[in-house]
Amino acid sequence: MVTHAHPVLLVEPNGETPVDQMLGNDGWQVIRAGAVADAMERAKHDQPSAVVFRGAVADAVGLAKKLRCNARTALLPMAIVADASDGAREELARWGVASVLPSTAADRIVADAVRKLAPLPPPAQAPDSELGRADRLTALERARLLDSPPEQPFDRLAHFASQLLDVPVVLMSIVDRQRQFFKAQVGLAEPLNTTRQLPITHSFCQWVVTGDEALVVEDARCDLVLSANSATIEMGIVAYAGVPIRVEPDETIGSFCAVDMKPRRWDPRELRALSDVAALVQALTALRQVEWLPPRTFDDFRNLAGVTGRAIEAAMRLHESGKTRVEATEQQALLAIAGGLGRDLTHAAQRAPK
């Protein structure tokens, strides 16, 4: 009996069914999840060969969308066991699901369908339906970051992160429907240093946006999705760590990311420091929008002000551990930015509604 390298993820609320045994007899390991959120975590962690979903069609569509929007799960084939209308089948097909079986399908038929599933081809870009979602594009426009000139605080934070993590490239990447624009950057050669943008086909950050979570890659050349990305093929990007940049009302418009041209195992302390510096970026973004966006509450500003101390502490812990070396000028720059930001946010909070 052939033993398959990767398991099958079976998503259904009930207990074990004959499908488990049938697939097991064929050499598959079956892992289970009872809800969409659980299924996504299992899919990202266990990297199954296929997903089988039994349940409501609306939940099936929701899971298919989440899988396709995440770089770690975008190529997973799915079989759906549900009573689906023609419209639902068309919607599932748009999310790459061609195998839709009726709820009355025998377990043997379900098992046969799983055997025939094959990985989807690597997409040229993340799902346009999410990149181009109206609410996200509205938030992107209201942020007034796209095509804006360089600003020293953002540039200094990018320089600081580059030294802190010892990486050649750091980007504050703002992603619209067809391109990514670099509000701040370190390490890009000409002409990118001047043009400050790339088409979406050259973007890892797009997957941070559509997945709405951090993306950490040790070697993109070994990743089924990212190995086909033009940033890997044409630019030689190998290692990547990016965290979301969010604006009101909690929409992800880009990524603050660190990039290396060689394989890299990211230390958890490095990822925490990157996330905390990105929180400073978000706080700066929120502060510069106070003049034209609806007022935030006192608690909003108090929470934003709190990230400054956490960012400094995380950065200094990483520095003092000997993991990295940061020049004194960069340390002073961070302290100046964080101190000024904390004061400005405190003043803004005093003017905000309780």
Side-chain angles (χ1 to χ4, degrees):
M1 180 179 70
V2 176
T3 300
H4 299 279
H6 297 284
V8 171
L9 174 60
L10 181 58
V11 186
E12 60 178 353
N14 300 320
E16 185 172 322
T17 67
V19 172
D20 298 67
Q21 183 176 355
M22 289 178 181
L23 291 173
N25 290 338
D26 285 345
W28 295 96
Q29 174 195 357
V30 178
I31 56 177
R32 305 182 63 87
V36 170
D38 294 337
M40 279 301 301
E41 291 307 311
R42 294 303 300 266
K44 288 184 289 185
H45 181 268
D46 296 304
Q47 292 291 290
S49 294
V51 177
V52 180
F53 180 91
R54 277 181 156 170
V57 172
D59 290 336
V61 172
L63 177 58
K65 177 180 177 180
K66 287 180 178 294
L67 289 172
R68 301 295 167 252
C69 285
N70 192 293
R72 288 282 172 258
T73 59
L75 304 187
L76 274 178
M78 290 186 69
I80 304 298
V81 185
D83 294 322
S85 65
D86 290 343
R89 288 174 178 269
E90 291 177 2
E91 177 71 3
L92 287 166
R94 283 195 289 271
W95 292 109
V97 181
S99 181
V100 183
L101 306 173
S103 62
T104 55
D107 292 313
R108 170 57 63 186
I109 294 177
V110 176
D112 288 341
V114 172
R115 297 187 194 100
K116 297 175 183 177
L117 292 175
L120 301 178
Q125 67 178 65
D128 179 71
S129 58
E130 181 61 24
L131 289 174
R133 186 166 46 80
D135 288 347
R136 196 189 82 84
L137 293 181
T138 297
L140 179 62
E141 182 179 0
R142 284 157 59 92
R144 299 188 185 180
L145 289 170
L146 202 63
D147 296 321
S148 62
E151 296 179 51
Q152 187 180 44
F154 293 118
D155 288 340
R156 293 309 296 263
L157 287 174
H159 278 280
F160 178 80
S162 176
Q163 288 196 2
L164 183 67
L165 303 178
D166 189 24
V167 290
V169 176
V170 170
L171 305 171
M172 178 184 174
S173 177
I174 308 303
V175 179
D176 76 357
R177 196 168 188 170
Q178 297 177 326
R179 61 181 173 135
Q180 57 178 354
F181 167 76
F182 306 126
K183 174 62 179 175
Q185 63 86 18
V186 172
L188 293 181
E190 294 293 355
L192 289 179
N193 184 47
T194 299
T195 60
R196 301 165 61 212
Q197 64 179 351
L198 277 169
I200 204 69
T201 52
H202 293 65
S203 172
F204 286 13
C205 295
Q206 62 177 322
W207 292 103
V208 177
V209 171
T210 58
D212 194 28
E213 65 181 19
L215 175 63
V216 179
V217 181
E218 294 183 359
D219 190 339
R221 299 168 301 182
C222 301
D223 186 282
L224 292 176
V225 172
L226 299 177
S227 62
N229 190 283
S230 295
T232 305
I233 298 170
E234 299 175 15
M235 300 174 63
I237 290 177
V238 176
Y240 174 94
V243 295
I245 297 173
R246 297 187 178 96
V247 295
E248 292 294 317
D250 201 27
E251 290 285 352
T252 299
I253 62 168
S255 170
F256 189 75
C257 65
V259 175
D260 210 335
M261 306 305 173
K262 61 182 183 296
R264 180 177 184 133
R265 185 177 295 277
W266 298 96
D267 187 290
R269 293 172 297 179
E270 294 176 327
L271 298 176
R272 176 60 185 270
L274 176 68
S275 180
D276 285 335
V277 176
L280 283 177
V281 170
Q282 286 199 169
L284 281 169
T285 300
L287 189 61
R288 74 191 291 279
Q289 296 169 353
V290 168
E291 295 180 1
W292 64 82
L293 287 184
R296 290 170 174 258
T297 67
F298 174 84
D299 286 341
D300 289 335
F301 282 113
R302 184 177 61 182
N303 292 336
L304 286 170
V307 307
T308 62
R310 293 195 297 272
I312 294 173
E313 290 174 4
M316 291 304 102
R317 280 198 302 269
L318 186 60
H319 172 62
E320 292 169 359
S321 71
K323 181 71 178 178
T324 187
R325 290 287 181 267
V326 180
E327 295 176 1
T329 54
E330 293 299 327
Q331 295 183 45
Q332 293 169 3
L334 176 66
L335 291 171
I337 291 171
L341 177 59
R343 288 191 300 272
D344 291 344
L345 287 169
T346 299
H347 294 156
Q350 293 171 351
R351 301 192 302 269
K354 301 295 184 180

